[in-house]
Amino acid sequence: MLKAKLGEYELDGVFTNGSGANDDSLDKLLQIADSRAGFITTKTTTFLPRPGNPGPRFYILGNNAINAMGLPNPGYKEMARIVSELKTRTKKPVFVSMSGFNLEESGELAKTLSPAADVLEVNLSCPNLMGKSQIIYNPEQTEAVLKEIKKNTNKKIAVKAAPFLDPGMQNEFCEIAKKVGVDFIVAINTVGNCMYIDADREKIMLKPKWGGLGGEALKMIGWGNVRRYYEFFKGSVPIIGCGGIVSGKDAFAYALAGANAFASATTLYKEGVGCFGRMEDELEAELKKHNYASLADAVGKAKEF
Ligand SMILES: Cc1cc2nc3c(=O)[nH]c(=O)nc-3n(C[C@H](O)[C@H](O)[C@H](O)COP(=O)(O)O)c2cc1C
C-alpha cells in the first residue's frame, strides 16, 4: 500500500474518487471506503435536492466521458446525514463537495456540512448548470464565495478548480486562493462546452446539447494546471491531481508535475472501485523503476529542458 501526505493527513492509499463518480448515496460511498482509495469525496451537494438535467446526459466513449448531469443530488441536509453515518463506518478522511448558488446558500451549506466533513470541497467549476457560468472564471465571485465559506466553517477547504486554458486567469485565481487561505486544490474538473455528435445519426447526443468532457483527453491540461499551482504555491498548498488518470503512470506524471494525491472519475465509472488498487500498484512500480523511495519524493520532480 502506498502512503501519501496530504496536508495534515497521512493517507493509506493515494487515490480518491473524483466528485460525482458513484458517490451520491451511503452505499456507494461505503464501497469507496472499503476499497483501496485513501480518502473519499462525495458528490457535490447543493442547497435544494436536484434531479439534474434531463437525459440522455452521460456517455462513456473509450477512455473519455461526456456528461451534462447538472448536479443531481439529494440536497445538503440529506448529504450531511449520509456523511455523519459514513464517518462512523470509516477512518478515511472525507472531502464533502458543495456548491451554493448564492452567498447565503454557500454559508448555510458550509455551516451544516462542516461538523461531519473532514474537508469542505468547494466546487466552483461545474460546467453543466444551464444558464449559470462557472464561478471560478469570475474572480470577484470566487473571492466572495470563498470568504463566506471561511466565515462559516472551522474545517479546511479545498477548491475544485475548472481547467484554466489561460495562465493569466489561473494566476488570478491563485492570488485569491492565497489571500483567502485555500487549503487544498483539486485540479481539474471536466472541460465544459463540449458536444458529442453522432455523425451517422446526424444527432447531438446529449439532451442538454453541451456537456463536460472527462477522461484521458484531459490529462495534458491537468498536468499543465497542476504544474502551475505547484510553481505558484511552491508546495505550500497540497494538490490533488485529477483529469484523465487511466493508469498509475498517468498518476506518476501528475506527481512529477506537483500533485500529492490523485482523483479519478471516468476510470472509476468504467472499472469500479478496483481501479484504485490497480493504479496504485502501477504507480508503486513506476516509483521503484525511477528510484523514488516514496511518492512524496517524486512530487514536483519533472525535469525541465
Ligand atoms: C458523470 C460525472 C459527474 C460528475 N460530477 C461532478 C460533481 O458533482 N462535482 C465535481 O466537482 N465534479 C464532477 N465531475 C468531474 C470529475 O470529478 C472530474 O473532475 C472529471 O471528470 C475529470 O476527471 P476524470 O478524467 O478522471 O473523469 C463529474 C464527472 C463525471 C464524468
Side-chain angles (χ1 to χ4, degrees), residues 10 13 16 27 44 50 62 71 83 141 156 222 240 246 250 286:
E10 303 280 350
T16 188
D27 278 357
T44 299
R50 287 171 60 83
L71 298 184
V83 176
Q141 277 182 22
K156 296 261 157 80
I240 296 152
V246 171
D250 295 331
E286 287 298 324

Side-chain angles (χ1 to χ4, degrees), residues 31-63:
Q31 278 186 38
I32 298 167
D34 292 340
S35 76
R36 282 177 60 191
F39 57 122
I40 304 165
T41 308
T42 71
K43 172 72 187 170
T44 299
T45 190
T46 52
F47 187 76
L48 294 174
R50 287 171 60 83
N53 296 324
R57 58 187 189 179
F58 179 36
Y59 295 92
I60 293 176
L61 304 160
N63 280 339

Side-chain angles (χ1 to χ4, degrees), residues 68 115 133 139:
S133 290

Side-chain angles (χ1 to χ4, degrees), residues 27-288:
D27 278 357
K28 292 179 195 167
L29 288 162
L30 284 170
Q31 278 186 38
I32 298 167
D34 292 340
S35 76
R36 282 177 60 191
F39 57 122
I40 304 165
T41 308
T42 71
K43 172 72 187 170
T44 299
T45 190
T46 52
F47 187 76
L48 294 174
R50 287 171 60 83
N53 296 324
R57 58 187 189 179
F58 179 36
Y59 295 92
I60 293 176
L61 304 160
N63 280 339
N64 295 308
I66 188 163
N67 91 86
M69 301 297 286
L71 298 184
N73 78 94
Y76 79 114
K77 287 195 174 148
E78 174 62 5
M79 190 55 88
R81 192 196 63 75
I82 290 172
V83 176
S84 44
E85 176 64 27
L86 177 66
K87 284 299 295 178
T88 66
R89 316 262 287 265
T90 181
K91 291 199 166 61
K92 295 180 179 179
V94 179
F95 282 46
V96 179
S97 174
M98 54 163 276
S99 176
F101 289 167
N102 55 47
L103 288 185
E104 212 183 334
E105 285 186 10
S106 297
E108 172 64 16
L109 262 68
K111 214 182 290 172
T112 307
L113 295 167
S114 286
D118 290 292
V119 173
L120 290 180
E121 182 171 306
V122 186
N123 179 0
L124 297 177
S125 52
C126 181
N128 301 316
L129 297 169
M130 299 305 132
K132 287 188 203 303
S133 290
Q134 287 153 274
I135 295 169
I136 203 163
Y137 294 140
N138 180 318
E140 288 77 28
Q141 277 182 22
T142 296
E143 185 167 342
V145 171
L146 292 177
K147 280 184 171 161
E148 187 65 23
I149 290 167
K150 291 284 279 189
K151 252 198 280 173
N152 284 283
T153 187
N154 54 1
K155 295 292 169 74
K156 296 261 157 80
I157 66 166
V159 167
K160 179 71 175 277
F164 282 103
L165 304 184
D166 175 76
M169 283 184 76
Q170 188 176 351
N171 275 330
E172 206 170 349
F173 166 66
C174 288
E175 294 290 354
I176 293 167
K178 187 172 156 191
K179 183 157 112 187
V180 175
V182 168
D183 303 289
F184 303 90
I185 290 176
V186 186
I188 55 178
N189 210 318
T190 52
V191 174
N193 221 13
C194 292
M195 186 171 272
Y196 168 31
I197 296 179
D198 184 330
D200 292 328
R201 295 168 68 185
E202 304 174 44
K203 201 168 179 77
I204 297 172
M205 297 302 288
L206 293 166
K207 171 88 172 165
K209 297 203 276 190
W210 291 273
L213 181 68
E216 197 163 22
L218 263 62
K219 70 187 175 195
M220 290 194 191
I221 306 174
W223 293 338
N225 278 213
V226 164
R227 184 63 180 195
R228 203 169 287 282
Y229 289 125
Y230 182 75
E231 292 190 2
F232 184 94
F233 290 109
K234 303 195 167 39
S236 67
V237 175
I239 302 166
I240 296 152
C242 177
I245 300 180
V246 171
S247 67
K249 196 167 184 176
D250 295 331
F252 180 56
Y254 265 102
L256 294 172
N260 305 84
F262 317 97
S264 194
T266 300
T267 300
L268 173 57
Y269 265 117
K270 280 191 68 171
E271 197 175 323
V273 293
C275 73
F276 299 126
R278 173 188 60 81
M279 294 195 292
E280 192 180 291
D281 290 345
E282 291 168 358
L283 173 57
E284 203 164 5
E286 287 298 324
L287 290 167
K288 265 202 195 104

